[in-house]
Amino acid sequence: MAQTQTFSKNQRIVLDIVEKAKGPLKAYSILFNVQKKGINAPQQIYRALDKLIEAGKIHKIESKNAFVACKNSNCEVSKATAFSICESCEIVDEISDTKLSKYLSKFNHKKGMKFKRFNLEFFGLCKKCKIK
Amino acid sequence: MAQTQTFSKNQRIVLDIVEKAKGPLKAYSILFNVQKKGINAPQQIYRALDKLIEAGKIHKIESKNAFVACKNSNCEVSKATAFSICESCEIVDEISDTKLSKYLSKFNHKKGMKFKRFNLEFFGLCKKCKIK
DNA sequence: TAACGTTTGTTATAATATAACATATTTTAG
DNA sequence: CTAAAATATGTTATATTATAACAAACGTTA
Ligand SMILES: [Zn+2]
Ligand SMILES: [Zn+2]
Ligand SMILES: [Zn+2]
Ligand SMILES: [Zn+2]
């Protein structure tokens, strides 16, 4: 069972914004959104993000330098993340597919490297953008 | 069969540096390396990189903002890339595993999204770094 | 309450990437 | 061959993303 974790003030503020967002948020857009709450500097955002990522509550979409809330509560997804990304509208969806996750977690490189973690990003066109 | 492609002067210079490098290179490190060859501005590097990536000769390691030469000549890997990354020494290795590639290329998201491309990054400790 | 680790606030700066515009070069088509 | 179009280059400036460094406050524990 996953440990219930307590977060600090800034961490809660950042998590809240990211969870309420419809899509991935950039760090500076988070900053802009929380300036009324007394957070003034990028450091404060990046520090909160670091902790939240470590805790698995937030993931970074590496190809976009943006951040999304984890959809899979109580799972170890921060070590096994997969996303689908629409190249047109940029919508991002976290993929939770047990088979895929198991397949990749078992995958081992020939060169003797044992993997601790992976991140997979799929790109394409979402349903809506295909129609247009 | 893959088309033999001709590259422009700057593109060849950048490709050459990246191919000769032992590991991933950052854009500004490429820039530094080619200043004696008359390339002076980041734009010139990024433009060359864009073309080379499109051509599948170079891949971007998204989690590191760095660039590596493609190991798999004559294949369509730019649409199906996988890398192993050592978290200690940061060595990067392009994975060419037909099964893995097929498995992921066939993978389709439930939400009706058809994927065109994916990028997978595995993290762990390489052989050398495990011993230390 | 003292010591320690964590979080915060703040200023400054580093690192990564793109915009915009003027030229030059190469390719294509009439 | 030659005008037009497409591609590539050079250059300056700027935008975006991320970290360094340091001082102060807070929270926990011994
Ligand atoms: Zn998740
Ligand atoms: Zn879309
Ligand atoms: Zn490749
Ligand atoms: Zn290593």
Side-chain angles (χ1 to χ4, degrees), chain B residues 24-39:
Chain B
L25 288 183
K26 302 261 188 172
Y28 276 74
S29 144
I30 297 172
L31 177 57
F32 179 80
N33 275 280
V34 299
Q35 277 179 330
K36 45 200 156 195
K37 292 188 180 161
I39 297 183

PDB file of all heavy atoms in Angstrom, chain B residues 24-39:
ATOM      1  N   PRO B  24      26.318  11.384 -25.754  1.00  0.00           N
ATOM      2  CA  PRO B  24      25.406  12.440 -26.181  1.00  0.00           C
ATOM      3  C   PRO B  24      26.048  13.813 -26.067  1.00  0.00           C
ATOM      4  O   PRO B  24      26.807  14.069 -25.138  1.00  0.00           O
ATOM      5  CB  PRO B  24      24.236  12.323 -25.202  1.00  0.00           C
ATOM      6  CG  PRO B  24      24.663  11.405 -24.130  1.00  0.00           C
ATOM      7  CD  PRO B  24      25.800  10.617 -24.627  1.00  0.00           C
ATOM      8  N   LEU B  25      25.752  14.672 -26.995  1.00  0.00           N
ATOM      9  CA  LEU B  25      26.270  16.037 -26.978  1.00  0.00           C
ATOM     10  C   LEU B  25      25.130  17.032 -26.821  1.00  0.00           C
ATOM     11  O   LEU B  25      24.066  16.874 -27.405  1.00  0.00           O
ATOM     12  CB  LEU B  25      27.002  16.348 -28.289  1.00  0.00           C
ATOM     13  CG  LEU B  25      28.350  15.697 -28.535  1.00  0.00           C
ATOM     14  CD1 LEU B  25      28.933  16.190 -29.858  1.00  0.00           C
ATOM     15  CD2 LEU B  25      29.310  16.018 -27.399  1.00  0.00           C
ATOM     16  N   LYS B  26      25.387  18.072 -26.082  1.00  0.00           N
ATOM     17  CA  LYS B  26      24.442  19.172 -25.942  1.00  0.00           C
ATOM     18  C   LYS B  26      24.629  20.133 -27.105  1.00  0.00           C
ATOM     19  O   LYS B  26      25.747  20.260 -27.632  1.00  0.00           O
ATOM     20  CB  LYS B  26      24.746  19.930 -24.635  1.00  0.00           C
ATOM     21  CG  LYS B  26      24.685  19.061 -23.405  1.00  0.00           C
ATOM     22  CD  LYS B  26      23.374  19.248 -22.740  1.00  0.00           C
ATOM     23  CE  LYS B  26      23.293  18.569 -21.398  1.00  0.00           C
ATOM     24  NZ  LYS B  26      22.046  18.961 -20.724  1.00  0.00           N
ATOM     25  N   ALA B  27      23.593  20.856 -27.426  1.00  0.00           N
ATOM     26  CA  ALA B  27      23.654  21.777 -28.567  1.00  0.00           C
ATOM     27  C   ALA B  27      24.779  22.804 -28.422  1.00  0.00           C
ATOM     28  O   ALA B  27      25.509  23.070 -29.384  1.00  0.00           O
ATOM     29  CB  ALA B  27      22.313  22.480 -28.737  1.00  0.00           C
ATOM     30  N   TYR B  28      24.916  23.343 -27.231  1.00  0.00           N
ATOM     31  CA  TYR B  28      25.932  24.389 -27.057  1.00  0.00           C
ATOM     32  C   TYR B  28      27.340  23.820 -27.003  1.00  0.00           C
ATOM     33  O   TYR B  28      28.311  24.531 -27.283  1.00  0.00           O
ATOM     34  CB  TYR B  28      25.626  25.251 -25.827  1.00  0.00           C
ATOM     35  CG  TYR B  28      24.637  26.350 -26.138  1.00  0.00           C
ATOM     36  CD1 TYR B  28      23.299  26.048 -26.312  1.00  0.00           C
ATOM     37  CD2 TYR B  28      25.031  27.667 -26.304  1.00  0.00           C
ATOM     38  CE1 TYR B  28      22.375  27.027 -26.624  1.00  0.00           C
ATOM     39  CE2 TYR B  28      24.113  28.659 -26.620  1.00  0.00           C
ATOM     40  CZ  TYR B  28      22.786  28.333 -26.774  1.00  0.00           C
ATOM     41  OH  TYR B  28      21.882  29.314 -27.089  1.00  0.00           O
ATOM     42  N   SER B  29      27.440  22.558 -26.685  1.00  0.00           N
ATOM     43  CA  SER B  29      28.742  21.911 -26.745  1.00  0.00           C
ATOM     44  C   SER B  29      29.105  21.626 -28.202  1.00  0.00           C
ATOM     45  O   SER B  29      30.267  21.773 -28.602  1.00  0.00           O
ATOM     46  CB  SER B  29      28.709  20.646 -25.898  1.00  0.00           C
ATOM     47  OG  SER B  29      29.469  19.631 -26.486  1.00  0.00           O
ATOM     48  N   ILE B  30      28.123  21.278 -29.005  1.00  0.00           N
ATOM     49  CA  ILE B  30      28.357  21.149 -30.448  1.00  0.00           C
ATOM     50  C   ILE B  30      28.810  22.498 -30.988  1.00  0.00           C
ATOM     51  O   ILE B  30      29.809  22.591 -31.705  1.00  0.00           O
ATOM     52  CB  ILE B  30      27.076  20.689 -31.173  1.00  0.00           C
ATOM     53  CG1 ILE B  30      26.649  19.295 -30.698  1.00  0.00           C
ATOM     54  CG2 ILE B  30      27.291  20.694 -32.690  1.00  0.00           C
ATOM     55  CD1 ILE B  30      25.286  18.859 -31.222  1.00  0.00           C
ATOM     56  N   LEU B  31      28.102  23.536 -30.611  1.00  0.00           N
ATOM     57  CA  LEU B  31      28.445  24.885 -31.066  1.00  0.00           C
ATOM     58  C   LEU B  31      29.900  25.221 -30.747  1.00  0.00           C
ATOM     59  O   LEU B  31      30.663  25.672 -31.604  1.00  0.00           O
ATOM     60  CB  LEU B  31      27.517  25.911 -30.403  1.00  0.00           C
ATOM     61  CG  LEU B  31      27.798  27.378 -30.714  1.00  0.00           C
ATOM     62  CD1 LEU B  31      27.766  27.647 -32.203  1.00  0.00           C
ATOM     63  CD2 LEU B  31      26.810  28.283 -29.998  1.00  0.00           C
ATOM     64  N   PHE B  32      30.270  24.962 -29.513  1.00  0.00           N
ATOM     65  CA  PHE B  32      31.647  25.250 -29.095  1.00  0.00           C
ATOM     66  C   PHE B  32      32.642  24.489 -29.968  1.00  0.00           C
ATOM     67  O   PHE B  32      33.664  25.023 -30.380  1.00  0.00           O
ATOM     68  CB  PHE B  32      31.824  24.871 -27.622  1.00  0.00           C
ATOM     69  CG  PHE B  32      33.216  25.104 -27.119  1.00  0.00           C
ATOM     70  CD1 PHE B  32      33.629  26.377 -26.750  1.00  0.00           C
ATOM     71  CD2 PHE B  32      34.117  24.052 -27.027  1.00  0.00           C
ATOM     72  CE1 PHE B  32      34.929  26.597 -26.298  1.00  0.00           C
ATOM     73  CE2 PHE B  32      35.419  24.272 -26.582  1.00  0.00           C
ATOM     74  CZ  PHE B  32      35.828  25.544 -26.211  1.00  0.00           C
ATOM     75  N   ASN B  33      32.292  23.245 -30.261  1.00  0.00           N
ATOM     76  CA  ASN B  33      33.185  22.390 -31.050  1.00  0.00           C
ATOM     77  C   ASN B  33      33.338  22.793 -32.509  1.00  0.00           C
ATOM     78  O   ASN B  33      34.266  22.337 -33.169  1.00  0.00           O
ATOM     79  CB  ASN B  33      32.680  20.937 -31.015  1.00  0.00           C
ATOM     80  CG  ASN B  33      33.173  20.189 -29.806  1.00  0.00           C
ATOM     81  OD1 ASN B  33      34.304  19.732 -29.780  1.00  0.00           O
ATOM     82  ND2 ASN B  33      32.340  20.102 -28.781  1.00  0.00           N
ATOM     83  N   VAL B  34      32.404  23.562 -33.025  1.00  0.00           N
ATOM     84  CA  VAL B  34      32.462  23.864 -34.452  1.00  0.00           C
ATOM     85  C   VAL B  34      32.755  25.333 -34.732  1.00  0.00           C
ATOM     86  O   VAL B  34      32.690  25.770 -35.877  1.00  0.00           O
ATOM     87  CB  VAL B  34      31.150  23.468 -35.170  1.00  0.00           C
ATOM     88  CG1 VAL B  34      30.903  21.983 -35.040  1.00  0.00           C
ATOM     89  CG2 VAL B  34      29.974  24.271 -34.658  1.00  0.00           C
ATOM     90  N   GLN B  35      33.073  26.069 -33.695  1.00  0.00           N
ATOM     91  CA  GLN B  35      33.301  27.495 -33.910  1.00  0.00           C
ATOM     92  C   GLN B  35      34.535  27.753 -34.773  1.00  0.00           C
ATOM     93  O   GLN B  35      34.566  28.708 -35.521  1.00  0.00           O
ATOM     94  CB  GLN B  35      33.356  28.237 -32.576  1.00  0.00           C
ATOM     95  CG  GLN B  35      31.938  28.554 -32.110  1.00  0.00           C
ATOM     96  CD  GLN B  35      31.867  29.270 -30.788  1.00  0.00           C
ATOM     97  OE1 GLN B  35      32.711  29.096 -29.927  1.00  0.00           O
ATOM     98  NE2 GLN B  35      30.820  30.057 -30.600  1.00  0.00           N
ATOM     99  N   LYS B  36      35.476  26.860 -34.700  1.00  0.00           N
ATOM    100  CA  LYS B  36      36.650  27.008 -35.572  1.00  0.00           C
ATOM    101  C   LYS B  36      36.263  26.775 -37.034  1.00  0.00           C
ATOM    102  O   LYS B  36      36.977  27.179 -37.944  1.00  0.00           O
ATOM    103  CB  LYS B  36      37.757  26.049 -35.154  1.00  0.00           C
ATOM    104  CG  LYS B  36      37.274  24.648 -34.858  1.00  0.00           C
ATOM    105  CD  LYS B  36      38.264  23.850 -33.986  1.00  0.00           C
ATOM    106  CE  LYS B  36      37.490  22.740 -33.259  1.00  0.00           C
ATOM    107  NZ  LYS B  36      38.219  22.129 -32.161  1.00  0.00           N
ATOM    108  N   LYS B  37      35.145  26.126 -37.259  1.00  0.00           N
ATOM    109  CA  LYS B  37      34.706  25.875 -38.632  1.00  0.00           C
ATOM    110  C   LYS B  37      33.751  26.946 -39.149  1.00  0.00           C
ATOM    111  O   LYS B  37      33.074  26.756 -40.154  1.00  0.00           O
ATOM    112  CB  LYS B  37      34.078  24.490 -38.738  1.00  0.00           C
ATOM    113  CG  LYS B  37      35.123  23.393 -38.550  1.00  0.00           C
ATOM    114  CD  LYS B  37      34.592  22.023 -38.840  1.00  0.00           C
ATOM    115  CE  LYS B  37      35.719  20.988 -38.633  1.00  0.00           C
ATOM    116  NZ  LYS B  37      35.207  19.627 -38.462  1.00  0.00           N
ATOM    117  N   GLY B  38      33.644  28.021 -38.427  1.00  0.00           N
ATOM    118  CA  GLY B  38      32.875  29.153 -38.928  1.00  0.00           C
ATOM    119  C   GLY B  38      31.397  29.171 -38.559  1.00  0.00           C
ATOM    120  O   GLY B  38      30.646  30.000 -39.054  1.00  0.00           O
ATOM    121  N   ILE B  39      30.997  28.273 -37.696  1.00  0.00           N
ATOM    122  CA  ILE B  39      29.611  28.337 -37.220  1.00  0.00           C
ATOM    123  C   ILE B  39      29.620  29.100 -35.905  1.00  0.00           C
ATOM    124  O   ILE B  39      30.349  28.749 -34.987  1.00  0.00           O
ATOM    125  CB  ILE B  39      29.019  26.922 -37.043  1.00  0.00           C
ATOM    126  CG1 ILE B  39      28.977  26.210 -38.404  1.00  0.00           C
ATOM    127  CG2 ILE B  39      27.629  26.992 -36.437  1.00  0.00           C
ATOM    128  CD1 ILE B  39      28.352  24.835 -38.361  1.00  0.00           C
TER     129      ILE B  39
END
